[in-house]
Amino acid sequence: MASIPSQQIEQLIFVVRNVRVLLDSDLAILYGTSTKRLNEQVKRNLGRFPTDFMFRLSLEEYENLKSQFATSSFEHGGRRKLPLVFTEHGAIMLASVLSSPVAVSASIQVVRAFINLRRLLQSNIELARKLDSLETKYDQQFKVVFDAIRQLMIPPDPPRRRIGIRSDEETD
């Protein structure tokens, strides 16, 4: 089997219930089998798929994904049941249940895609931390500038009238 680019697999990964998952139909294609066969193997080995490895989408979640990703594989095959989704660990377990060379090879690529997404997320978190740090640091520096500007904006005291006799030059 030719290696599947990680970016191609990353495009198939969705976030549902705050968990990154792959649809059963997409995994079936990656693993070189039909969705029906994949789901049969899952059903025969349910003990290997706890809810943190795999779960079925609700109708609302399914409709939401369909509306967001019209080009995905939702419309193929005329589904009778809501799709199953697999986490990274579920995808690995699924490859072991299917045990074909194609599934094993594809599961390696799937794991790499999840790792790449995790790295990307981590780098975004680190970038956010750095920005927060810079913002805090520069807020203090700019506070001095803003305070100085505010001082300059205060109107000077009105000129005092001089007491005493004025010369003709001062009365103009």
Side-chain angles (χ1 to χ4, degrees):
M1 173 191 162
S3 179
I4 303 164
S6 183
Q7 295 86 355
Q8 186 177 347
I9 297 170
E10 289 171 22
Q11 292 174 356
L12 301 174
I13 298 173
F14 303 105
V15 176
V16 178
R17 302 178 196 173
N18 293 320
V19 179
R20 288 186 297 275
V21 296
L22 280 160
L23 289 166
D24 56 359
S25 54
D26 291 333
L27 278 170
I29 292 167
L30 291 171
Y31 289 175
T33 188
S34 69
T35 305
K36 180 180 177 181
R37 175 154 169 10
L38 182 143
N39 288 328
E40 285 172 352
Q41 288 300 94
V42 169
K43 194 173 180 180
R44 288 185 185 128
N45 296 281
L46 269 179
R48 293 180 178 225
F49 296 97
T51 58
D52 58 330
F53 282 25
M54 173 207 73
F55 56 90
R56 190 170 300 280
L57 292 179
S58 70
L59 181 58
E60 183 180 336
E61 291 165 335
Y62 179 64
E63 292 296 329
N64 186 33
L65 284 179
K66 275 181 26 179
S67 68
Q68 288 180 29
F69 304 100
T71 59
S72 189
S73 59
F74 290 117
E75 301 305 322
H76 306 296
R79 298 196 75 116
R80 292 183 182 163
K81 292 183 178 180
L82 292 168
L84 294 171
V85 291
F86 296 83
T87 65
E88 178 180 357
H89 298 99
I92 295 167
M93 185 61 70
L94 188 56
S96 72
V97 167
L98 293 172
S99 69
S100 72
V102 171
V104 171
S105 175
S107 72
I108 293 168
Q109 297 305 115
V110 168
V111 169
R112 287 183 178 146
F114 275 104
I115 290 170
N116 286 342
L117 286 176
R118 212 174 4 260
R119 278 190 198 134
L120 182 62
L121 179 63
Q122 185 61 35
S123 68
N124 285 344
I125 289 170
E126 289 172 17
L127 180 60
R129 282 188 196 133
K130 287 178 183 177
L131 284 174
D132 287 344
S133 172
L134 286 173
E135 185 177 1
T136 303
K137 177 180 173 183
Y138 287 113
D139 277 354
Q140 292 301 318
Q141 289 179 353
F142 283 115
K143 184 180 182 321
V144 172
V145 173
F146 288 132
D147 287 346
I149 292 171
R150 283 189 193 97
Q151 288 292 356
L152 291 173
M153 292 172 60
I154 296 173
D157 291 334
R160 295 185 179 186
R161 290 183 14 150
R162 292 177 57 182
I163 301 174
I165 301 173
R166 296 184 206 174
S167 67
D168 288 339
E169 295 171 3
E170 293 179 338
T171 57
D172 291 334

